[in-house]
C-alpha cells in the first residue's frame, strides 16, 4: 500500500533532508504535504488526511504534543522527530509511538516506516484511535519514577497499557512474551523477550534464564538446590541458568 505522509517541522533544512531520505529509501511512501508550525500542521493534517505524520517535537509557539492535543482523537500514525535527551527517549520506548533521533539515521527511518506500514495494515482490520498512546507517552515523560510508568504492550487484539511496577516477570514463548502480572493475569505480547530486556533492565528487572526476565522487587527467595531457582511473590518458581547465575548473585548481593 502507498502511505500518504506529511512532514511537520519548523526547520526548512530538516524538512528537505527527511523528504530526500524518504524519496530515496521508502518508495512506497508519498509525501503529500509540509507544515512548519502547530497551526499550519493542524490545518494541513485536517485538509489532507494523511496516513502518517512525521512530527517535530520542539517548534516555536507550541510542541508536536500540542498539535496532537489540538486535534483530539486521531487515527493517523505518528513518527516523532526529536533531539530530546536520553530520559525522554526512554519514555518513548515505553510507548507505542515511534521516534527518530536527529540527525535521522537512514536504517532507523526505514525500520520505523516498516513498523508503521504493519500497523496501518492491522488498522484496516481493527480501526482505533492513537490518542491513548499519546496519553501514555506524556504520562511517562512527566513521571518522576519510571517504575510507575506505563508500558505499551502490543497484543494480537491491539495495545494494552500496564504499570511497570505491576509486572512480576516476563516469560519467553518463541517470538512472543508472556507478561505475568500481580493478581495472576497473563498477557501474551507479540514481541520477543530481548526487546523488553533492553527496556526494563534499568528498572530492576534481570534476565535469569533465556526464557525468563524477573522483577527483582518480587523475588521472595533464592534456592541453591537443583541448579538454583527463584521463588517469586506469587509462589511461582523460576529456574536460573548457569549463564546468568554468577552475575545474578552479584546483583542480588548488591541489592541487599
Amino acid at each position: 500500500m502507498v502511505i500518504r505522509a506529511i512532514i511537520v517541522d519548523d526547520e526548512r533544512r530538516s524538512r528537505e533532508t527527511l523528504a530526500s531520505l524518504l524519496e530515496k529509501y521508502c518508495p512506497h511512501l508519498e509525501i503529500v504535504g509540509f507544515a512548519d508550525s502547530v497551526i499550519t500542521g493542524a490545518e494541513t493534517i485536517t485538509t489532507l488526511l494523511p496516513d502518517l505524520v512525521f512530527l517535530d517535537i520542539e517548534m516555536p509557539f507550541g510542541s508536536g504534543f500540542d498539535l496532537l492535543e489540538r486535534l483530539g482523537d486521531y487515527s493517523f500514525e505518528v513518527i516523532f522527530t526529536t533531539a530530546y535527551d536520553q530520559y525522554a527517549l526512554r519514555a518513548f520506548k515505553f510507548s507505542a509511538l515511534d521516534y527518530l533521533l536527529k540527525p535521522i539515521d537512514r536504517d532507523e527511518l526505514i525500520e520505523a516506516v516498516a513498523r508503521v506500514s504493519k500497523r496501518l495494515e492491522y488498522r484496516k482490520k481493527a480501526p482505533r484511535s492513537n490518542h491513548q498512546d499519546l496519553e501514555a507517552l506524556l504520562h511517562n515523560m512527566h513521571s518522576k519514577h519510571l517504575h510507575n510508568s506505563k508500558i505499551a504492550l502490543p497484543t494480537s487484539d491491539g495495545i494494552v497499557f500496564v504499570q511497570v511496577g505491576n509486572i512480576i516477570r516476563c516469560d519467553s514463548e518463541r517470538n512472543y512474551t508472556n507478561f505475568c502480572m500481580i493478581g495472576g493475569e497473563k498477557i501474551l505480547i507479540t514481541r520477543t523477550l530481548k526487546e523488553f530486556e533492553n527496556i526494563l533492565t534499568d528498572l530492576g528487572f534481570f534476565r535469569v534464564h533465556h526464557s525468563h526476565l524477573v522483577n527483582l522487587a518480587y523475588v521472595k527467595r533464592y534456592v541453591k538446590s537443583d541448579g538454583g531457582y527463584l521463588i517469586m511473590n506469587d509462589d511461582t518458581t523460576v529456574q536460573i541458568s548457569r549463564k546468568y547465575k554468577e552475575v545474578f548473585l552479584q546483583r542480588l548481593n548488591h541489592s541487599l
Side-chain angles (χ1 to χ4, degrees):
M1 64 175 291
V2 175
I3 300 174
R4 301 174 68 257
I6 288 174
I7 298 175
V8 182
D9 195 310
D10 64 294
E11 297 180 357
R12 179 178 58 83
R13 181 174 295 180
S14 293
R15 295 194 301 271
E16 292 176 348
T17 299
L18 178 54
S20 177
L21 287 170
L22 290 169
E23 183 178 354
K24 188 173 183 179
Y25 298 109
C26 303
H28 60 296
L29 186 146
E30 178 187 4
I31 301 172
V32 296
F34 296 89
D36 59 5
S37 68
V38 170
I39 294 176
T40 60
E43 292 173 348
T44 304
I45 291 169
T46 303
T47 301
L48 298 178
L49 301 176
D51 303 310
L52 168 64
V53 174
F54 290 92
L55 183 57
D56 187 23
I57 292 181
E58 296 179 299
M59 295 182 287
F61 312 111
S63 69
F65 301 135
D66 294 327
L67 188 157
L68 295 178
E69 291 285 7
R70 186 186 186 104
L71 293 172
D73 284 343
Y74 61 94
S75 59
F76 53 84
E77 293 292 329
V78 177
I79 296 178
F80 287 99
T81 55
T82 176
Y84 263 12
D85 61 24
Q86 192 61 39
Y87 179 87
L89 294 184
R90 186 184 297 177
F92 272 99
K93 290 180 180 179
F94 276 67
S95 77
L97 296 167
D98 271 302
Y99 70 91
L100 293 170
L101 187 62
K102 294 180 178 180
I104 293 173
D105 177 80
R106 176 196 65 188
D107 293 333
E108 291 179 358
L109 173 62
I110 293 171
E111 290 174 4
V113 171
R115 286 192 294 270
V116 165
S117 182
K118 289 181 180 179
R119 290 200 295 269
L120 288 172
E121 288 292 339
Y122 180 80
R123 189 186 298 281
K124 291 180 180 179
K125 306 173 185 176
R128 63 183 292 268
S129 168
N130 285 340
H131 196 71
Q132 188 182 17
D133 303 349
L134 175 63
E135 290 177 347
L137 172 62
L138 295 177
H139 170 85
N140 292 342
M141 294 188 79
H142 293 108
S143 176
K144 294 181 180 179
H145 303 287
L146 278 175
H147 198 69
N148 296 324
S149 297
K150 293 180 180 178
I151 184 171
L153 303 179
T155 70
S156 59
D157 296 324
I159 295 175
V160 176
F161 293 89
V162 302
Q163 193 164 320
V164 173
N166 290 339
I167 304 168
I168 294 178
R169 71 179 192 280
C170 307
D171 298 335
S172 174
E173 293 193 15
R174 296 186 180 181
N175 292 326
Y176 295 85
T177 302
N178 221 336
F179 273 65
C180 302
M181 311 295 296
I182 290 176
E185 181 184 10
K186 291 187 177 182
I187 307 171
L188 187 63
I189 308 305
T190 56
R191 287 185 184 172
T192 65
L193 185 62
K194 181 64 177 179
E195 293 181 64
F196 292 109
E197 179 186 7
N198 294 336
I199 295 173
L200 296 172
T201 293
D202 292 339
L203 296 175
F205 286 74
F206 194 88
R207 186 82 172 258
V208 297
H209 190 277
H210 74 274
S211 296
H212 304 296
L213 178 70
V214 301
N215 187 340
L216 295 177
Y218 294 112
V219 174
K220 184 164 66 174
R221 185 181 173 193
Y222 165 64
V223 181
K224 294 182 179 179
S225 61
D226 298 325
Y229 62 92
L230 302 176
I231 299 177
M232 308 300 290
N233 278 12
D234 60 355
D235 291 325
T236 57
T237 60
V238 178
Q239 196 71 33
I240 303 176
S241 70
R242 290 183 180 180
K243 176 181 178 181
Y244 299 100
K245 183 183 293 186
E246 184 177 347
V247 179
F248 169 74
L249 291 177
Q250 292 175 357
R251 174 71 178 273
L252 197 62
N253 289 331
H254 185 267
S255 301
L256 295 177

